[in-house]
Amino acid sequence: MGTFRNQSSALLRKSASYQLRNIATNICLVSAPIVFCLILYVIQVLVDNLYLGTDDFKCGCRCTQCCYTGRSAIMDREFFYLSDPNTTYTINSQNINDVAPRCLSPIETNVGPCPADMGYECLQNDESDCGIQYSSATQAAFCNIPNPSSWPDVITVPRRERRYEDYAPDVTFLVTSDSPSKSQLLGDQLFNQLDLSLAKIVPLVDEVSGANGSFNGAYLSELGFKFASSEQSRGDYYVENAFLTYNRSYVMLPEGTCNEKNMSEYDPVSLLDFVAKYLGIPVSLLRPALDTADVTGLAAGFALVSVSCSDAKIWVQESAADVDQALFCGFWQARCEGYNRGTSSFGAAWDFANSAESGLNVTVQYNTTNTYYRGSPKPNLRIPTLVSQAAKAWWRTVNGTKDVVPPINLLGLMSMPKASSELDLDFSSQLGPLFYTWVVTLLMPTFLQQLVYEKERRLRMMMKMHGLGDLVYWTITYSWCMSVYIVYIAIFMIFGAVIGLNVFRMTNVGIQIIFYFLHGNCMIAFTFMLSSLFKAARTASVCAFIYVFGCGLIGQLLLDTFMDDDKQWLFFVEWVPAWALFRGLYEMAAYAFLGTYRGTTGMQFSNLRDSGNGMLAVWGIFIVEWFLFMLLAWYFEQILDSGNGIKRHPLFFMRLFWKKKTIEEGGVPSSGSNSATALPNTFADGRVCLPQPLHTFDDGTGSLNGPPSATAHATFTESTDGTSVKKADDDVSQKGVSPSHVEVLVSGQFTDVSAEAARVHRLHGDPSMSDAPIVIEGLRKVFPKVDGRPPKEAVREITMAVKRGECFGLLGPNGAGKTTLLSMLVGFLEPSAGTARVEGMDIRKEMNNIYSIMGVCPQHDLLWDQLTAREHLRFYGRLKGFTGKDLEEAVEVSLKSVNLFFGGNADKLACKFSGGMKRRLSVAISIIGSPGVVYLDEPSTGLDPNSRRNLWNVVLGNKAGRAMILTTHSMDEAEALCDRLGIFVDGQLVCIGDPKEITSRYGGYLVFQISVPLGQEQDAKAMVSKMCPTSELTYGVAGTLKYELPCKDITVTEVFNEVNKAKSTLDVLDWGVANVTLEEVFIKFARSIQAKGGDMA
């Protein structure tokens, strides 16, 4: 038997040969990281050039050619909701239904960006003239802004088509307090008239012009302007979206003011025109101030902003609950009773219920439509305006001074000065966790498929039966998988860094190595555990790929959002290995992304304890799961019917406790414990009990008779020559015996089966059992009921022994249970009762030790398709301890003995072998290494006559010194190879003996056959009856008759004489007489016991 080192070497060499044959597949596998990294690299390049490289992500430059190209989205949106569809509305004095294609003049493009939302497109930029005055709100974040602008108060209001219907187009605001009257007073103070006069308006342009072209919007707030817009605010305030050139803004005034001033929300005008209309003066009075002012930058662009007059409708609510109800019912999916209007939005809501003269306590609810991104709201810089309004309304209400400017007054908002910047986003880090999860776990389906393939094809069991220990198998397989994983990850990391993916370049290499190493061990252990749950390699592969891609997508689409918020419960979700991997990759990608954006590094060891960093938790999960999965893999292999040996009870680890408890209670081991004190079917006085009722043969005819419930007793004593002699025992009871205590004496021809049981009993007392390497004691197998069918008893308490140097043959029809018996002996199946000992070792307890001295040729060829005959034999030879020259000689001898050495067959792949060649290779595998016990299950199936004869010679040449059990359907093979035979019918042995002795004992008749012309059959029958009155007709068709003639009543000479006499009166066409053959004896047994067909084995 080979040592751990020899077995490890054998398995490693076999795996290397197998993988070299699949080199193309392996190259494709390790190329997967390269492909995925290239995909990410291409995506990053495309994003940099087609997205981040556009004008939106750099400071705006003056557009020298801004031309109208089509109807704008803003036009369609702003004028969707019209009270009178027949009315024509204008924007900037242009009819929106008839906007002629044109380009803006240089004066119009001197300030502000080209208004793309209005249907214009910039065809040419002056790259030398860039600044915030030419920038959109998005572009402004990348400009050099030493003097930021201040912007007046702005409220976010719904678009006209979504406003509360009952008061539209007015914007409705909700107010509540501790009383309706107080609510109305507070509401009236929220919006006031403008504080305008010609003296304040004339210097307007100069006042709003700040340093370096910045805009001083605080002056407008001093004049009482309260602006509103449907455009959402940005996360900074370098440019306010509401005041971009050609964008629409509203001036919110108390209810009824717009009609009073003869202004409409549908009539947008410039700010100067709006002021002139509000004051009721000609705009020409204000134009000279604009024309002579030295206005540049955002201040100049502000003059082109369109504004409309909009009334603020105050809707007083009884309570905060009424406010909530109104807001909820305004949602388009709300199902409020009697309220099915679709979207009915409000500008804002104020709850002053907790306010008093002594202090302000207000709840403000504001409109956040379209401000949510990936579950988190964008920064809303317009909220301070609503709070300021509430404070001023409260102050005026408490002090009763409506027209006095309160000391609480928000004039405007502005951002801090900034230098110019560029957006450098590592987009590959954003997609990285998804792609990297797929890449890193892509090895798992491959590993799982390989493990399940060896189990499905029973190759794992074949190796185990030839001595490969479980520890060696799992150690080498684990090492092999880990080696492949290390090479795979090394390629992944190196190539990713070479092409410039920042996750690899910016993350500390030590962190990456630890992370991938821990994950690799966890993944391999997880794969080992899963391999015990699958029986088909294809199913395992499909499920593994679903797991890989499904977990990656769920991680990207769902978990990514929760990781942003660092949800505590994610720790438990991460116990799914793929999601723990995703979390670790997410952390590395996030640090790489921020590092790229900030110009710093990615994750370092100093960052591991940062708040929200889950990398350490992921490492801990990997370590715990590594040991947990390995333990579960071992446990599942023990208790599940995985084809790797006899499965054990789920609580088998409590066996020591059970045994201890049994001894303390004075009990005895169960039958499953295989106690060696006594055989269950042997009595102290020497009598043998066959537990199953058996039919008996009639001494005269050899046919079966006697009811199954009949019992008979026989006592055997040992004679001087060592054989068993039957003593008379007339105790035969036909009635009143409990089936569980029935003792069946096999009389007549069954004496040899009982004698074999007695011989086994004598061997049982010999601890060494050196004369019989194989001893079977009451072995029984019952398959559980399936689909309502009753349990099937495949093997019925077999008791026998095989001596050293003996080949014992099992004959039986399909379904007799021969292969089932062998499967129990080799560890494929667990016995239902009884046991067997091989070289003194119990198959229930010491099967792993038995494998080291056993050779098996299974019924079906268990071979690797991608290995040659020579490689198969080298592998199994190394398992048996052969090395170097001895190994090569043993392989060569084995190949020659089965006629596979010449013609290049030794180096031909097993998948190219014919069925007969595979059988010969299986036989060669079973005998290499000189095993002490060999099981051959129908070894000559599919062989041509010449190959069969050569195979017989191989078996005969290797029989010395070892015990063999052979199953076969061929009588010629049984007579040629077997020293003893056992006829196996319906799960039981019906006779045992050498072939000639069985033929002589159970075939005590001559087979006589005669053929006569049609019409003379009766004369021929009369002749045979006269010749032998005890003859029995077994066949008669078309003048051909076949008889059985008892040898005790007639001889061959007498048959010749009688036939010669009969020829004078009969036309004998053909006739013959012969001794009975083994095949005929076997057929007679099978028919007598009415064996059923169907292969159970």
Side-chain angles (χ1 to χ4, degrees):
M1 175 57 194
T3 62
F4 183 95
R5 179 179 178 180
N6 290 337
Q7 293 183 34
S8 301
S9 174
L11 189 56
L12 275 175
R13 291 168 181 262
K14 186 272 297 179
S15 298
S17 299
Y18 185 85
Q19 297 300 333
L20 284 174
R21 291 276 154 64
N22 296 276
I23 188 66
T25 303
N26 291 327
I27 290 176
C28 292
L29 181 63
V30 297
S31 300
I34 298 176
V35 174
F36 276 92
C37 288
L38 284 176
I39 291 175
L40 284 178
Y41 177 75
V42 170
I43 292 176
Q44 181 68 58
V45 171
L46 293 176
V47 168
D48 289 342
N49 290 277
L50 301 181
Y51 183 63
L52 299 180
T54 61
D55 292 339
D56 287 338
F57 295 96
K58 60 184 180 180
C59 188
C61 298
R62 188 170 73 88
C63 181
T64 58
Q65 192 174 359
C66 180
C67 298
Y68 181 79
T69 57
R71 190 175 181 86
S72 73
I74 286 185
M75 284 182 177
D76 292 335
R77 183 180 69 209
E78 291 294 324
F79 293 90
F80 173 79
Y81 183 82
L82 300 175
S83 299
D84 184 3
N86 297 320
T87 302
T88 299
Y89 298 94
T90 61
I91 178 169
N92 288 345
S93 303
Q94 292 181 341
N95 188 327
I96 68 166
N97 296 317
D98 186 23
V99 179
R102 71 181 187 89
C103 294
L104 297 179
S105 66
I107 295 178
E108 292 176 299
T109 60
N110 191 44
V111 291
C114 184
D117 288 342
M118 298 296 296
Y120 286 83
E121 180 181 355
C122 185
L123 303 180
Q124 184 176 354
N125 282 323
D126 182 0
E127 299 290 340
S128 63
D129 188 7
C130 302
I132 191 172
Q133 66 271 27
Y134 308 117
S135 302
S136 66
T138 302
Q139 292 174 320
F142 304 100
C143 296
N144 179 33
I145 309 176
N147 302 106
S149 298
S150 65
W151 301 96
D153 296 350
V154 179
I155 303 172
T156 302
V157 296
R159 296 169 186 164
R160 284 201 298 266
E161 68 272 13
R162 294 185 177 180
R163 295 174 186 173
Y164 183 61
E165 234 173 44
D166 290 355
Y167 303 116
D170 294 352
V171 180
T172 304
F173 296 89
L174 306 176
V175 179
T176 187
S177 66
D178 52 3
S179 68
S181 58
K182 183 178 179 181
S183 298
Q184 190 63 56
L185 287 174
L186 290 165
D188 292 341
Q189 301 296 330
L190 288 170
F191 297 93
N192 303 105
Q193 298 293 339
L194 302 179
D195 182 18
L196 297 179
S197 64
L198 189 59
K200 292 183 178 180
I201 294 302
V202 171
L204 173 64
V205 175
D206 291 329
E207 290 291 343
V208 300
S209 299
N212 297 323
S214 62
F215 175 67
N216 180 23
Y219 184 74
L220 295 176
S221 296
E222 292 179 6
L223 299 178
F225 277 94
K226 191 67 64 180
F227 291 98
S229 175
S230 298
E231 299 295 325
Q232 299 295 336
S233 67
R234 283 178 42 83
D236 57 61
Y237 238 47
Y238 295 111
V239 172
E240 167 59 71
N241 278 346
F243 300 118
L244 285 176
T245 306
Y246 299 109
N247 268 2
R248 175 70 60 81
S249 295
Y250 307 102
V251 177
M252 303 303 302
L253 296 172
E255 185 179 3
T257 303
C258 293
N259 288 333
E260 179 185 337
K261 301 294 184 180
N262 196 25
M263 291 187 292
S264 170
E265 186 168 339
Y266 305 105
D267 185 18
V269 294
S270 69
L271 182 62
L272 292 178
D273 289 335
F274 181 89
V275 171
K277 283 190 175 185
Y278 185 86
L279 294 176
I281 62 175
V283 71
S284 58
L285 294 178
L286 304 177
R287 285 293 178 186
L290 176 63
D291 294 338
T292 59
D294 184 15
V295 182
T296 60
L298 290 175
F302 185 74
L304 300 177
V305 172
S306 299
V307 295
S308 299
C309 182
S310 183
D311 288 340
K313 170 63 180 177
I314 303 300
W315 187 15
V316 175
Q317 302 293 305
E318 292 290 336
S319 65
D322 294 331
V323 173
D324 293 339
Q325 178 70 9
L327 294 176
F328 173 74
C329 292
F331 180 53
W332 70 276
Q333 286 186 323
R335 296 294 182 264
C336 298
E337 184 176 354
Y339 198 102
N340 295 312
R341 308 184 183 184
T343 301
S344 294
S345 298
F346 303 91
W350 290 272
D351 179 8
F352 293 91
N354 296 322
S355 298
E357 292 186 5
S358 60
L360 173 66
N361 188 341
V362 63
T363 300
V364 180
Q365 300 190 58
Y366 54 93
N367 193 311
T368 58
T369 304
N370 299 327
T371 63
Y372 275 78
Y373 175 70
R374 297 181 69 181
S376 302
K378 292 181 180 178
N380 193 334
L381 301 181
R382 294 175 181 172
I383 298 175
T385 300
L386 301 176
V387 178
S388 174
Q389 280 184 273
K392 288 188 289 185
W394 171 80
W395 191 91
R396 286 170 175 159
T397 301
V398 170
N399 292 278
T401 54
K402 180 177 181 179
D403 297 328
V404 177
V405 177
I408 308 171
N409 191 20
L410 178 66
L411 296 179
L413 296 172
M414 65 184 296
S415 293
M416 298 295 291
K418 65 176 291 293
S420 61
S421 60
E422 294 182 359
L423 183 62
D424 186 9
L425 296 179
D426 184 14
F427 195 75
S428 63
S429 295
Q430 292 290 89
L431 281 180
L434 172 63
F435 278 83
Y436 301 153
T437 298
W438 285 344
V439 172
V440 175
T441 56
L442 200 58
L443 284 176
M444 178 185 156
T446 303
F447 292 159
L448 184 61
Q449 190 272 343
Q450 181 179 349
L451 290 170
V452 179
Y453 171 81
E454 290 188 338
K455 182 175 71 174
E456 179 186 12
R457 298 288 295 270
R458 292 198 168 185
L459 295 169
R460 166 80 191 285
M461 191 62 196
M462 186 68 175
M463 293 186 286
K464 192 172 183 178
M465 289 188 299
H466 284 81
L468 181 66
D470 287 342
L471 178 61
V472 176
Y473 177 81
W474 287 117
T475 301
I476 298 305
T477 303
Y478 192 100
S479 302
W480 181 266
C481 292
M482 196 63 197
S483 301
V484 174
Y485 176 82
I486 290 173
V487 172
Y488 184 86
I489 291 298
I491 294 174
F492 183 44
M493 292 175 58
I494 294 173
F495 188 79
V498 167
I499 65 175
L501 297 181
N502 287 333
V503 170
F504 303 101
R505 293 175 59 250
M506 303 181 68
T507 304
N508 185 279
V509 176
I511 291 178
Q512 294 185 65
I513 292 175
I514 294 173
F515 173 74
Y516 289 122
F517 175 77
L518 292 178
H519 170 263
N521 286 282
C522 181
M523 182 187 71
I524 295 172
F526 184 55
T527 304
F528 281 10
M529 184 195 73
L530 291 181
S531 67
S532 299
L533 306 179
F534 291 97
K535 294 185 177 180
R538 181 171 298 179
T539 303
S541 295
V542 171
C543 292
F545 277 112
I546 292 175
Y547 167 82
V548 169
F549 288 99
C551 287
L553 289 175
I554 292 174
Q556 180 71 22
L557 301 178
L558 181 61
L559 298 183
D560 194 0
T561 301
F562 298 117
M563 289 176 188
D564 287 336
D565 300 332
D566 192 27
K567 300 293 185 181
Q568 295 300 317
W569 52 265
L570 278 176
F571 173 77
F572 301 99
V573 176
E574 289 163 8
W575 284 87
V576 176
W579 288 338
L581 171 67
F582 184 89
R583 178 63 186 271
L585 293 170
Y586 170 85
E587 296 293 352
M588 290 194 293
Y591 275 89
F593 182 84
L594 290 176
T596 303
Y597 183 76
R598 297 170 178 172
T600 58
T601 60
M603 183 183 293
Q604 306 297 317
F605 280 103
S606 59
N607 301 125
L608 292 179
R609 295 192 178 276
D610 289 353
S611 176
N613 190 335
M615 182 61 79
L616 286 179
V618 169
W619 288 1
I621 289 173
F622 282 156
I623 293 173
V624 173
E625 288 186 333
W626 181 2
F627 293 100
L628 178 63
F629 288 148
M630 288 302 295
L631 179 63
L632 289 176
W634 173 80
Y635 177 73
F636 287 156
E637 186 176 69
Q638 305 301 312
I639 67 170
L640 297 179
D641 186 12
S642 58
N644 294 333
I646 298 174
K647 67 176 182 178
R648 305 166 76 175
H649 190 278
L651 300 178
F652 69 91
F653 50 85
M654 298 185 67
R655 176 178 297 175
L656 293 177
F657 170 76
W658 289 340
K659 286 185 176 181
K660 180 178 180 181
K661 184 176 179 181
T662 301
I663 295 172
E664 290 175 351
E665 294 177 355
V668 294
S670 63
S671 60
S673 66
N674 306 309
S675 173
T677 56
L679 280 173
N681 56 346
T682 306
F683 292 92
D685 58 1
R687 290 184 296 134
V688 177
C689 168
L690 297 179
Q692 283 293 333
L694 298 178
H695 299 290
T696 58
F697 277 69
D698 180 83
D699 289 336
T701 64
S703 62
L704 292 175
N705 54 59
S709 61
T711 65
H713 299 273
T715 302
F716 294 87
T717 59
E718 187 173 355
S719 62
T720 56
D721 59 357
T723 61
S724 296
V725 181
K726 176 186 172 185
K727 291 186 177 181
D729 191 341
D730 296 329
D731 250 351
V732 179
S733 171
Q734 297 284 349
K735 301 178 182 179
V737 181
S738 172
S740 61
H741 295 86
V742 172
E743 296 176 357
V744 180
L745 170 72
V746 183
S747 61
Q749 286 98 334
F750 282 92
T751 303
D752 46 4
V753 178
S754 300
E756 180 70 10
R759 187 172 76 92
V760 171
H761 175 59
R762 294 194 307 274
L763 289 173
H764 191 277
D766 182 3
S768 65
M769 298 185 185
S770 58
D771 187 49
I774 302 175
V775 179
I776 303 173
E777 309 172 51
L779 206 58
R780 183 168 178 256
K781 181 63 181 177
V782 179
F783 290 102
K785 60 182 179 181
V786 179
D787 298 331
R789 291 178 291 181
K792 173 64 178 178
E793 190 173 22
V795 176
R796 304 186 181 189
E797 305 231 6
I798 301 300
T799 300
M800 55 172 282
V802 181
K803 296 185 297 184
R804 197 177 307 279
E806 178 183 46
C807 179
F808 187 92
L810 286 176
L811 290 177
N814 288 336
K818 307 182 303 298
T819 300
T820 302
L821 175 62
L822 283 190
S823 296
M824 289 188 285
L825 294 176
V826 300
F828 267 149
L829 295 175
E830 181 180 15
S832 300
T835 187
R837 289 192 295 275
V838 178
E839 295 289 4
M841 294 176 285
D842 196 316
I843 64 170
R844 284 180 176 268
K845 302 176 181 178
E846 303 171 274
M847 201 68 227
N848 289 333
N849 295 329
I850 295 174
Y851 289 142
S852 63
I853 59 169
M854 186 174 73
V856 180
C857 174
Q859 186 177 31
H860 305 288
D861 301 304
L862 307 182
L863 306 171
W864 284 273
D865 291 339
Q866 298 301 313
L867 295 183
T868 65
R870 190 187 303 276
E871 289 167 342
H872 274 92
L873 292 174
R874 281 175 178 169
F875 170 62
Y876 288 108
R878 290 189 181 101
L879 287 182
K880 297 301 174 72
F882 286 98
T883 58
K885 184 178 180 181
D886 293 339
L887 173 64
E888 294 302 323
E889 289 180 355
V891 169
E892 183 175 340
V893 170
S894 297
L895 289 171
K896 289 180 178 179
S897 66
V898 294
N899 198 22
L900 289 177
F901 184 78
F902 301 101
N905 292 328
D907 299 308
K908 185 184 294 184
L909 295 180
C911 61
K912 298 180 180 180
F913 278 5
S914 64
M917 296 170 72
K918 290 181 179 179
R919 292 308 292 161
R920 282 183 274 161
L921 178 56
S922 296
V923 172
I925 291 172
S926 69
I927 60 177
I928 193 170
S930 302
V933 173
V934 178
Y935 302 105
L936 304 173
D937 195 359
E938 301 180 13
S940 62
T941 301
L943 298 183
D944 59 87
N946 183 58
S947 296
R948 183 183 295 113
R949 178 62 61 180
N950 290 336
L951 182 66
W952 292 353
N953 293 333
V954 173
V955 174
L956 290 173
N958 288 272
K959 187 169 61 173
R962 60 177 59 92
M964 290 186 176
I965 294 182
L966 177 144
T967 69
T968 183
H969 290 295
S970 171
M971 303 304 143
D972 292 340
E973 184 171 77
E975 290 183 299
L977 300 180
C978 300
D979 301 287
R980 288 197 304 156
L981 289 176
I983 296 181
F984 211 76
V985 180
D986 198 21
Q988 58 189 338
L989 280 172
V990 294
C991 72
I992 295 178
D994 66 74
K996 294 183 178 179
E997 190 266 338
I998 290 177
T999 303
S1000 173
R1001 189 180 348 143
Y1002 297 109
Y1005 55 87
L1006 300 175
V1007 178
F1008 175 72
Q1009 181 174 317
I1010 187 171
S1011 298
V1012 297
L1014 295 177
Q1016 295 188 17
E1017 292 95 335
Q1018 294 302 322
D1019 295 337
K1021 290 180 180 180
M1023 183 273 293
V1024 174
S1025 297
K1026 179 180 178 182
M1027 177 177 62
C1028 182
T1030 58
S1031 62
E1032 180 180 350
L1033 178 66
T1034 59
Y1035 177 83
V1037 175
T1040 299
L1041 307 175
K1042 189 174 182 180
Y1043 285 88
E1044 291 180 358
L1045 309 179
C1047 295
K1048 62 181 180 179
D1049 297 327
I1050 193 170
T1051 63
V1052 175
T1053 302
E1054 293 173 344
V1055 172
F1056 271 88
N1057 293 335
E1058 291 298 328
V1059 172
N1060 288 332
K1061 291 179 184 179
K1063 287 182 178 180
S1064 60
T1065 57
L1066 288 174
D1067 294 333
V1068 178
L1069 302 178
D1070 190 19
W1071 74 279
V1073 65
N1075 290 319
V1076 66
T1077 64
L1078 180 62
E1079 182 174 1
E1080 289 171 322
V1081 171
F1082 167 71
I1083 293 173
K1084 192 171 186 66
F1085 269 111
R1087 288 178 178 173
S1088 299
I1089 302 182
Q1090 301 176 352
K1092 297 180 180 179
D1095 194 359
M1096 282 179 44

